[in-house]
């Protein structure tokens, strides 16, 4: 299952979410996650139209964008979306 | 029987029968229009006999009557010479080397305690009148209940001020504007794999941030110190605090409608700071990197001060209202700065120890807007309608 994550090196909320994603990965270790940095990967990030709040996680179902989670979320919220996509 | 005899003899030796207590000179500068002054004069007249008080009263409020001009001149001279009560407040009371500004129930209790155990032969006013040197006199506020701190006496009545410094400083610290720069800097430093350089540059950033705040707050204090007694100026500061408070509350209200996370703002400024940090991190000369960090911390903190929406200014105004000693000003400002930087210190320390940068949830920023907003609105209202409630030593 494909997930695109957009973070930034300066974003405190993105760093906070690292711990949350660690918990998610314990349950789903085989997720196909691609991470981009808001400033360092500017051109690619623009194509995802991430908006004004970071971090952004884009979930794909059958290679089509299914859902976006914007900002800080709990591991349960993320797992629920993963379950919907699978 | 012999025992009883010795007890009676001992009691006669202990009880000072017929010994008249020493007279105490009490100097009060009062204003006939002021209700606190009236209350103090009533109290002093009540206890005059009990403590053998010699009351020296100086009316300073009746400026229309030229016969009081000498009192006003003496009032100014005392303030100038002793370097206390710089806001020219009344009632202003001097007993030995102790002084009081204002009067209420707590002052009454404090005066009672002081007068009960009064021991001082210092004649301050006489020295001022005779133009004698007063530099050796160390005037202290209130009763003998001050605590010692590095040899200096700190007034317990003023203890709410450090508490306010802690709360406002802590809330100001969650200002996200400067935090993101530190996080980016630490993240970039982590890639250097040079622990000594990481420590040096990170600590320099934090120390310079503290220094910038110290300079700005002291500069602001010296400006408003002389102006805070002017009513319109105090109201102006209160209005700024009110606007700052409302801005904070609006931010909180807006954040309720948004997802919790980092807001992407001001692309141009962000990119310029990011490229400066990259230059610092890749700079081969350690000295140049250090200078770069100092300049970065300076510019970020000066610019981002506006982001604090008046919190440091409001706190400095509270300090100015309280007529503290220079040491007390310094201690309170340092407490403010320490709590302002505590989240940064925490993030930096964890990163250095674990070699892993961890972020603080932006939820705390949201609630800091709420608490900061409510606090600032409250302080603004008090500054306008009840400034004496913010004067903890009165």
């Amino acid at each position: 299952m494909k997930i695109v994550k957009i973070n930034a090196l300066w974003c405190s909320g993105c760093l906070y979410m690292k711990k949350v994603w660690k918990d998610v990965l314990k349950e789903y270790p085989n997720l196909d996650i691609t991470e981009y940095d808001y400033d360092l990967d500017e051109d690619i990030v623009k194509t995802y139209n991430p908006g004004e709040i970071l971090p952004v996680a884009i979930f794909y179902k059958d290679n089509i964008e299914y859902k976006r989670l914007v900002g800080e979320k709990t591991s349960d919220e993320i797992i629920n979306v993963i379950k919907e996509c699978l | 029987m012999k025992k009883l005899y010795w007890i009676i003899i001992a009691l006669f030796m202990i009880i000072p029968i017929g010994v008249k207590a020493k007279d105490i000179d009490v100097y009060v500068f009062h204003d006939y229009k002021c209700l606190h002054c009236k209350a103090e004069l009533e109290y002093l007249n009540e206890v005059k006999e009990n403590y053998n008080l010699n009351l020296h009263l100086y009316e300073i409020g009746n400026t229309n009557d030229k016969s009081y001009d000498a009192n006003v001149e003496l009032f100014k001279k005392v303030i100038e010479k002793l370097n206390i009560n710089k806001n020219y407040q009344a009632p202003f009371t001097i007993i030995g080397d102790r002084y009081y500004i204002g009067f209420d129930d707590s002052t009454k209790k404090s005066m009672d305690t002081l007068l009960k155990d009064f021991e001082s032969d210092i004649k301050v006013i006489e020295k001022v009148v005779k133009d004698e040197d007063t530099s050796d006199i160390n005037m202290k506020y209130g009763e003998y209940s001050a605590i010692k701190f590095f040899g200096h006496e700190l007034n317990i009545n003023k203890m709410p001020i450090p508490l306010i410094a802690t709360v406002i400083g802590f809330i100001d610290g969650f200002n996200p504007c400067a935090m993101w720069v530190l996080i980016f800097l630490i993240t970039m430093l982590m890639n250097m794999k040079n622990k000594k350089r990481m420590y040096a540059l990170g600590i320099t950033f934090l120390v310079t941030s503290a220094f910038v705040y110290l300079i700005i707050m002291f500069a602001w204090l010296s400006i408003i110190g002389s102006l805070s007694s002017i009513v319109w100026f105090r109201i102006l500061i209160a209005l700024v605090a009110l606007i700052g408070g409302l801005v904070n509350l609006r931010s909180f209200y807006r954040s309720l409608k948004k997802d919790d996370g980092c807001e992407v703002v001001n692309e141009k400024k962000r990119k310029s700071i990011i490229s400066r940090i990259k230059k610092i991190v890749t700079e081969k000369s350690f000295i140049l990197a250090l200078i770069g960090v100092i300049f970065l911390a300076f510019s970020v903190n000066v610019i981002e001060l506006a982001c604090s929406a008046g919190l440091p200014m409001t706190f400095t105004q509270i300090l100015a209202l309280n007529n503290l000693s220079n040491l007390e000003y310094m201690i309170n400002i340092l407490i403010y700065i320490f709590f302002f930087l505590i989240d940064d210190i925490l993030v930096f320390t964890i990163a250095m120890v674990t070699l892993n940068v961890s972020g603080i949830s932006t939820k705390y920023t949201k609630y800091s807007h709420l608490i900061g907003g409510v606090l600032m609105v409250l302080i603004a209202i008090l500054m306008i309608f009840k400034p004496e409630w913010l004067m903890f030593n009165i």
Side-chain angles (χ1 to χ4, degrees):
Chain A
M1 193 203 134
K2 190 182 154 192
I3 299 169
V4 171
K5 276 165 65 183
I6 299 166
N7 301 309
L9 286 178
W10 45 264
C11 164
S12 182
C14 304
L15 292 167
Y16 171 78
M17 282 303 290
K18 268 188 179 178
K19 282 181 281 176
V20 179
W21 275 98
K22 241 184 190 176
D23 293 337
V24 174
L25 285 169
K26 275 180 198 162
E27 273 192 54
Y28 294 93
N30 297 321
L31 295 172
D32 172 17
I33 299 176
T34 313
E35 289 196 46
Y36 293 113
D37 184 88
Y38 193 85
D39 297 290
L40 305 178
D41 308 306
E42 200 181 353
D43 294 335
I44 307 169
V45 167
K46 267 183 189 166
T47 61
Y48 289 100
N49 196 17
E52 298 273 280
I53 303 284
L54 294 179
V56 177
I58 308 167
F59 297 82
Y60 289 84
K61 192 177 182 178
D62 303 326
N63 272 333
I64 297 166
E65 184 178 332
Y66 173 76
K67 204 165 195 171
R68 276 180 188 223
L69 287 181
V70 177
E72 292 173 24
K73 302 288 169 198
T74 62
S75 55
D76 286 343
E77 283 175 286
I78 297 171
I79 288 169
N80 284 340
V81 180
I82 294 171
K83 279 178 182 166
E84 286 171 30
C85 291
L86 289 172
Chain B
M1 190 64 191
K2 208 173 181 182
K3 259 186 189 172
L4 188 70
Y5 168 78
W6 281 113
I7 290 169
I8 291 165
I9 294 287
L11 275 174
F12 272 104
M13 284 172 81
I14 293 165
I15 301 167
I17 298 167
V19 177
K20 193 181 178 291
K22 213 162 69 175
D23 285 353
I24 304 170
D25 286 308
V26 178
Y27 301 86
V28 187
F29 294 91
H30 60 96
D31 181 339
Y32 74 100
K33 303 183 287 292
C34 146
L35 292 174
H36 295 284
C37 303
K38 199 181 162 205
E40 178 172 349
L41 296 184
E42 277 171 11
Y43 159 75
L44 288 173
N45 278 315
E46 242 173 60
V47 297
K48 193 178 165 187
E49 300 298 321
N50 299 348
Y51 298 124
N52 295 317
L53 304 183
N54 282 335
L55 296 180
H56 305 266
L57 308 177
Y58 303 93
E59 168 58 51
I60 53 163
N62 196 349
T63 45
N64 295 329
D65 191 335
K66 295 277 175 209
S67 61
Y68 294 117
D69 281 2
N71 292 353
V72 177
E73 283 309 309
L74 180 64
F75 180 54
K76 286 179 186 169
K77 204 170 167 184
V78 169
I79 289 168
E80 203 179 293
K81 277 227 153 196
L82 302 176
N83 202 23
I84 48 175
N85 192 17
K86 282 170 275 177
N87 294 334
Y88 295 87
Q89 287 163 277
F92 177 44
T93 310
I94 291 179
I95 309 167
D97 60 348
R98 304 278 155 170
Y99 70 93
Y100 291 92
I101 302 164
F103 186 80
D104 66 6
D105 281 345
S106 69
T107 330
K108 197 165 147 180
K109 273 182 205 158
S110 171
M111 274 189 190
D112 257 331
T113 315
L114 173 72
L115 293 170
K116 262 179 216 159
D117 307 313
F118 187 77
E119 283 173 27
S120 174
D121 290 323
I122 299 169
K123 307 266 181 204
V124 175
I125 302 294
E126 281 179 24
K127 278 195 160 200
V128 173
V129 170
K130 288 176 189 166
D131 265 331
E132 287 175 17
D133 182 25
T134 53
S135 58
D136 57 323
I137 301 172
N138 180 19
M139 292 300 290
K140 298 168 200 82
Y141 185 88
E143 63 186 286
Y144 298 101
S145 61
I147 55 164
K148 287 266 182 190
F149 186 83
F150 290 112
H152 291 267
E153 282 190 350
L154 298 179
N155 186 359
I156 290 169
N157 300 343
K158 297 172 191 169
M159 284 301 141
I161 304 172
L163 189 72
I164 291 176
T166 306
V167 174
I168 303 183
F170 190 68
I171 291 165
D172 193 11
F174 280 100
N175 151 23
C177 306
M179 177 65 131
W180 77 265
V181 180
L182 178 76
I183 287 178
F184 189 81
L185 179 69
I186 296 172
T187 313
M188 295 302 280
L189 289 174
M190 286 290 165
N191 300 329
M192 286 167 52
K193 308 282 180 209
N194 182 342
K195 222 170 178 186
K196 270 187 192 167
R197 203 167 163 147
M198 272 158 59
Y199 269 109
L201 295 181
I203 291 171
T204 306
F205 183 85
L206 290 174
V207 171
T208 313
S209 301
F211 187 64
V212 171
Y213 249 69
L214 189 74
I215 291 174
I216 290 170
M217 287 175 88
F218 256 105
W220 186 243
L221 188 66
S222 63
I223 295 168
I224 59 173
S226 51
L227 297 171
S228 62
S229 55
I230 302 169
V231 177
W232 68 261
F233 186 77
R234 202 180 61 229
I235 290 172
L236 189 73
I237 299 284
L239 289 176
V240 174
L242 187 69
I243 293 165
L246 293 174
V247 167
N248 267 307
L249 289 176
R250 189 188 64 172
S251 299
F252 171 72
Y253 178 70
R254 282 185 172 178
S255 66
L256 287 177
K257 295 177 184 170
K258 285 187 209 163
D259 295 294
D260 290 325
C262 302
E263 206 167 337
V264 183
V265 281
N266 205 335
E267 198 163 333
K268 206 175 160 189
K269 198 171 82 184
R270 195 182 70 247
K271 279 186 177 169
S272 138
I273 290 175
I274 286 174
S275 73
R276 279 173 71 186
I277 292 175
K278 278 182 185 169
K279 262 188 193 172
I280 290 166
V281 172
T282 52
E283 176 59 58
K284 281 187 182 152
S285 157
F286 174 67
I287 299 293
L288 286 180
L290 212 61
I291 293 168
V293 163
I294 292 171
F295 275 101
L296 177 77
F298 243 95
S299 55
V300 166
N301 281 284
V302 168
I303 296 164
E304 307 300 2
L305 202 68
C307 210
S308 295
L311 275 172
M313 194 185 67
T314 310
F315 175 68
T316 326
Q317 174 66 22
I318 293 175
L319 284 185
L321 283 172
N322 279 280
N323 202 39
L324 305 173
S325 68
N326 283 338
L327 177 77
E328 286 168 324
Y329 282 135
M330 178 64 100
I331 290 171
N332 283 298
I333 289 178
L334 287 177
I335 291 172
Y336 183 100
I337 292 170
F338 174 73
F339 282 95
F340 166 70
L341 287 176
I342 202 162
D343 54 340
D344 295 359
I345 294 170
L346 203 72
V347 168
F348 177 70
T349 311
I350 291 172
M352 289 298 113
V353 173
T354 64
L355 291 177
N356 197 7
V357 192
S358 49
I360 293 173
S361 172
T362 50
K363 277 181 189 145
Y364 297 113
T365 307
K366 185 165 85 177
Y367 294 112
S368 81
H369 282 311
L370 174 68
I371 301 167
V374 171
L375 213 62
M376 284 181 78
V377 169
L378 206 69
I379 291 170
I381 292 169
L382 287 180
M383 266 185 204
I384 297 171
F385 299 106
K386 285 274 175 197
E388 65 273 18
W389 286 14
L390 295 168
M391 299 175 196
F392 302 101
N393 56 346
I394 289 178

